[in-house]
Amino acid sequence: MWLSLVERIVRDDEVAGSNPVIPTIFIAYEPEPLGRVAGIFIFGGKSMGDKCTRCSWVKLDDPIYVKYHDEEWGVPLHDDRALYELFILETFQAGLSWATILHKRENFRRAYEGFIPERVASFDAAKVEELMQDAGIVRNRRKIEASIVNSRIFLDIVREFGSFDRYIWGFTGGKPVRESCELRTTSPLSDKVSNDLKKRGMRFVGSTCIYSTLQAIGVLAAHTDTCAWSKS
């Protein structure tokens, strides 16, 4: 996970300044089959209040980050639609702070038509140009084009394994692996997942990016030992 171990300068007409790159947010959807627009977004997990000890990367003065840590990060995620949104957002986070993506999340949902993979997989050159004019998202041509390619490969994986959930959790036999977020930013597991996705043709899925994704979706149980949420 990137966390406070890495700092990058936000560019590409994004928020100015240097920010810790924290793990990626994910959203749990009310169950909807692929190909339909999900109507409601819900958050998983629970809040334990403001007096509990949290992971060191949490900015306690930022309620968005606190809510993310308390209610979303590390909760095992198995819904394909939520996993898809997360992986697309991860490709846009590469090289940027997560704050940039977090504050553009609703704009991404609008621009990416509800994050329906079949729709994004059919985006053409005209749609790419439209997205390049959308100031509400990250206007990076390589990342936009990668998101379309990755969407097609995502659907290929779903057809091969029955679901993306089965694919990604299959790397650990369907069980979370305990590994504190303070330990490292890549691992043999993230290397393996990253290499497999790259072989399939996905882009912007380096090991560091994948490591933070695995933490976010609960494949890696990464809350620190002192964090109250490590006991939840």
Side-chain angles (χ1 to χ4, degrees):
M1 181 176 57
W2 294 7
L3 304 181
S4 59
L5 299 176
V6 178
E7 291 187 350
R8 298 181 185 273
I9 301 299
V10 178
R11 304 186 64 181
D12 188 30
D13 67 38
E14 311 303 334
V15 180
S18 179
N19 297 284
V21 181
I22 68 170
T24 303
I25 195 167
F26 68 84
I27 302 302
Y29 295 85
E30 291 286 4
E32 292 277 357
L34 287 174
R36 292 179 56 192
V37 177
I40 302 174
F41 299 104
I42 59 173
F43 291 106
K46 59 183 177 180
S47 175
M48 298 184 185
D50 293 331
K51 296 182 179 180
C52 294
T53 301
R54 295 176 171 87
C55 295
S56 59
W57 56 264
V58 180
K59 296 180 179 180
L60 297 179
D61 61 345
D62 188 329
I64 294 177
Y65 285 170
V66 171
K67 185 178 180 65
Y68 167 58
H69 171 275
D70 292 3
E71 300 184 5
E72 301 178 57
W73 188 64
V75 178
L77 181 61
H78 295 283
D79 180 83
D80 266 16
R81 288 286 300 281
L83 288 166
Y84 170 73
E85 178 175 332
L86 172 64
F87 268 78
I88 294 300
L89 292 178
E90 277 284 5
T91 65
F92 279 97
Q93 184 204 3
L96 303 174
S97 73
W98 175 245
T100 299
I101 305 302
L102 178 61
H103 290 290
K104 292 177 178 286
R105 184 179 63 186
E106 292 303 323
N107 293 328
F108 269 108
R109 287 176 175 164
R110 169 188 50 77
Y112 274 73
E113 302 183 11
F115 279 111
I116 298 174
E118 291 87 350
R119 290 185 180 178
V120 180
S122 67
F123 284 179
D124 57 14
K127 183 65 175 182
V128 171
E129 294 306 318
E130 177 185 324
L131 293 173
M132 284 294 296
Q133 301 305 313
D134 191 336
I137 66 171
V138 176
R139 294 184 290 185
N140 181 301
R141 185 177 299 275
R142 290 179 63 224
K143 291 180 179 180
I144 291 171
E145 291 174 346
S147 70
I148 299 170
V149 172
N150 290 355
S151 297
R152 295 167 183 165
I153 296 169
F154 178 94
L155 292 172
D156 289 341
I157 292 172
V158 170
R159 285 188 284 267
E160 179 179 348
F161 289 86
S163 68
F164 193 81
D165 168 61
R166 185 175 299 171
Y167 165 78
I168 197 66
W169 281 90
F171 285 94
T172 60
K175 298 179 180 180
V177 175
R178 173 61 182 155
E179 184 168 299
S180 172
C181 63
E182 297 176 324
L183 183 60
R184 52 189 173 182
T185 59
T186 63
S187 70
L189 175 60
S190 65
D191 291 345
K192 184 177 181 179
V193 177
S194 174
N195 289 336
D196 187 71
L197 291 173
K198 289 178 180 179
K199 288 178 181 178
R200 293 174 182 273
M202 278 200 182
R203 308 171 188 171
F204 291 98
V205 287
S207 186
T208 301
C209 181
I210 293 300
Y211 192 78
S212 67
T213 303
L214 295 175
Q215 291 174 320
I217 66 177
V219 172
L220 294 177
H223 285 283
T224 60
D225 292 337
T226 58
C227 177
W229 278 259
S230 68
K231 313 299 189 299
S232 63

